[in-house]
Amino acid sequence: MQTGPVDTEIISRVLKGDQAIYAELVKRYQNFVFTIALRYTPNREDAEEIAQDVFVKAYRSLADFRGDSKFSTWLYTIVTTTCITFLRKKRIPVHSLDNERVFEVADNQNSAFRANQVEQKSKAQAIQEAMRLLSVDDARIITLFYQAEQSLEEIGRILGIDPNTAKVKLHRARQRLKEKMVKHYAEIVNELTH
């Protein structure tokens, strides 16, 4: 849960000259940005470099943020553009959005909760493995909705589709994920539903 000033207040303060408050935005979104960067490159150092570059670009472009959508939606666009540009420069093969290692690294970053970690990890790993079985488009829309917490309108803007189309695609992607889970991980599905 977010504490402190809302994103738009922070942005307003930065634009008025309070540059130090920008660190609050970085703190809020560093895991989000890093996780997305890891989806494009399995190399942790490259993902860290991309994340730093994203926050520099976001800072320089902060005046362009109009507030039509959540800050995270605007930032997501910067992350994906920066990742693609970085990979083109380095000529690194682009990895699928549903790369299992991405989620393992992201899980390890916030490992303060050790209780039930093995059980939770096996459930999360099963879900991520099932997501790997989905198409890139299905995995992307599920990730945007559940992990990036984007609304259907924001997903529509990001993917360049109508929000109703996003809703239909999300519903179908969830159905396909459920089918994969039932087929390959029936025992875990039973645990999650009981």
Side-chain angles (χ1 to χ4, degrees):
M1 181 170 223
Q2 185 173 300
T3 59
V6 295
D7 295 345
T8 51
E9 289 174 29
I10 294 173
I11 293 166
S12 177
R13 287 173 59 183
V14 171
L15 294 174
K16 290 177 182 171
D18 184 2
Q19 298 168 345
I21 193 79
Y22 185 69
E24 180 64 28
L25 281 178
V26 173
K27 183 179 170 186
R28 283 182 189 174
Y29 293 102
Q30 62 188 1
N31 288 338
F32 172 73
V33 169
F34 183 72
T35 301
I36 294 169
L38 272 176
R39 291 185 187 147
Y40 285 88
T41 177
N43 183 316
R44 184 178 178 86
E45 291 78 23
D46 287 345
E48 288 171 353
E49 184 178 333
I50 290 168
Q52 288 176 352
D53 194 26
V54 164
F55 284 112
V56 169
K57 286 179 180 179
Y59 179 80
R60 290 180 180 156
S61 303
L62 215 48
D64 296 335
F65 177 68
R66 296 188 315 261
D68 297 339
S69 60
K70 290 195 299 192
F71 177 73
S72 58
T73 303
W74 182 76
L75 190 60
Y76 179 87
T77 305
I78 294 173
V79 177
T80 55
T81 305
T82 303
C83 287
I84 292 167
T85 302
F86 179 86
L87 295 174
R88 281 186 188 142
K89 286 180 183 174
K90 284 196 95 171
R91 297 174 195 235
I92 297 174
V94 176
H95 291 272
S96 173
L97 284 173
D98 48 2
N99 185 332
E100 175 183 351
R101 181 161 153 37
V102 170
F103 297 101
E104 287 177 41
V105 171
D107 286 343
N108 290 336
Q109 285 186 337
N110 293 326
S111 58
F113 299 98
R114 295 286 181 201
N116 299 325
Q117 185 178 12
V118 173
E119 182 181 338
Q120 292 300 326
K121 240 184 177 176
S122 69
K123 289 177 184 176
Q125 186 175 1
I127 292 168
Q128 295 312 320
E129 287 174 8
M131 287 208 25
R132 256 191 22 241
L133 300 172
L134 297 174
S135 71
V136 172
D137 289 340
D138 284 349
R140 179 181 295 141
I141 201 160
I142 288 173
T143 300
L144 284 170
F145 189 77
Y146 290 103
Q147 291 183 311
E149 298 178 359
Q150 302 297 305
S151 69
L152 292 171
E153 290 77 20
E154 291 162 334
I155 292 171
R157 274 190 225 116
I158 290 168
L159 300 178
I161 58 177
D162 182 80
N164 288 330
T165 305
K167 182 177 181 179
V168 170
K169 286 181 176 275
L170 178 63
H171 175 74
R172 290 178 181 162
R174 281 192 296 227
Q175 287 299 113
R176 286 189 278 270
L177 178 61
K178 181 180 176 184
E179 290 167 8
K180 301 290 185 197
M181 288 293 296
V182 168
K183 181 176 179 183
H184 298 284
Y185 305 99
E187 183 177 310
I188 290 176
V189 170
N190 286 335
E191 287 177 27
L192 292 173
T193 56
H194 291 97

